[in-house]
Amino acid sequence: MSEQDVQDWIGKQVAANDVVLFMKGTSETPQCGFSMQVAQILGHLGVDYEDINVLDDMSVREGVKAYSNWPTVPQLYVKGEFVGGCDIVREMFQAGELQEMLKAKGIANNAQTETA
Amino acid sequence: MAMAAADIERLIKERFPDAEIQIEDLAGDGNHYSASVVSEDFRGKSRVQQHQMVYEALKGNMGGVLHALALKTAAP
């Protein structure tokens, strides 16, 4: 894919899915500790998400970094918005902010039942 | 390829002269560090913006020479 095609393709994935995780590996078989941590947090919260394995396509692996102006993978997007990488997602999860944000954006997650 | 803790600190200090910076080498391989950066420049900025500011200070090393940098940023 050309650079512009990659940016368009990434934009479509981010727009078409409520929650998208660009990661190394897949949610079932993550290939990197940081990607695994974010996948585990989303799994723990019972959030449905589209996992995109950047190792399948180098142009996507590089393209997503330009797309969000963020130099690393994993990258989490919720309702089209870049949320962060592993550090930020973990920090937000520990502070309960991730759960609140998901709830505010109408995305089902286990935390709702825990605190309701 | 690796990066020395002192180089990371120098680059961050250049961009954030007022910052309090702690850098920890997580793996001893020059590739995996944690860094905490406290600077007035972060006030009012989102976490993503704060981290992007630090990545910019690292002038393209992040994700290349520097594989992993666990970042903690805050305003004083």
Side-chain angles (χ1 to χ4, degrees):
Chain A
M1 286 193 268
S2 76
E3 241 178 84
Q4 191 47 51
D5 294 342
V6 171
Q7 294 300 306
D8 295 345
W9 184 80
I10 291 170
K12 279 195 194 96
Q13 308 313 309
V14 164
N17 301 282
D18 280 348
V19 184
V20 184
L21 178 61
F22 289 83
M23 64 184 294
K24 289 177 184 170
T26 64
S27 52
E28 299 311 317
T29 50
Q31 304 289 316
C32 137
F34 301 112
S35 292
M36 184 169 67
Q37 277 183 54
V38 178
Q40 280 173 342
I41 289 170
L42 294 176
H44 171 77
L45 290 176
V47 172
D48 286 334
Y49 63 98
E50 179 74 11
D51 56 340
I52 295 175
N53 183 358
V54 301
L55 299 178
D56 288 345
D57 184 336
M58 188 52 104
S59 62
V60 171
R61 178 175 180 175
E62 291 313 312
V64 76
K65 295 173 185 176
Y67 184 83
S68 56
N69 182 29
W70 191 262
T72 55
V73 165
Q75 293 188 15
L76 180 64
Y77 295 78
V78 173
K79 294 265 182 172
E81 201 188 312
F82 176 59
V83 175
C86 182
D87 291 343
I88 287 177
V89 171
R90 193 182 53 238
E91 234 177 276
M92 288 178 72
F93 171 65
Q94 286 161 350
E97 283 173 33
L98 183 63
Q99 297 84 321
E100 267 166 43
M101 186 196 74
L102 289 167
K103 200 168 114 187
K105 293 191 180 228
I107 292 166
N109 69 84
N110 295 346
Q112 279 163 317
T113 46
E114 277 164 26
T115 50
Chain B
M1 292 195 303
M3 206 170 168
D7 292 334
I8 297 171
E9 185 155 357
R10 178 178 46 77
L11 285 171
I12 295 175
K13 199 70 174 170
E14 270 170 27
R15 171 60 183 77
F16 304 96
D18 74 315
E20 275 166 52
I21 304 167
Q22 272 115 33
I23 308 238
E24 205 194 320
D25 187 338
L26 298 176
D29 59 3
N31 242 318
H32 298 74
Y33 289 95
S34 76
S36 116
V37 185
V38 177
S39 165
E40 190 55 43
D41 284 11
F42 293 143
R43 195 170 299 286
K45 299 271 192 326
S46 72
R47 279 195 187 91
V48 168
Q49 289 165 327
Q50 292 177 27
H51 288 213
Q52 282 172 325
M53 289 160 75
V54 175
Y55 290 147
E56 270 149 34
L58 293 173
K59 298 190 169 83
N61 285 301
M62 188 61 228
V65 169
L66 189 50
H67 175 66
L69 178 66
L71 257 182
K72 222 155 177 20
T73 54

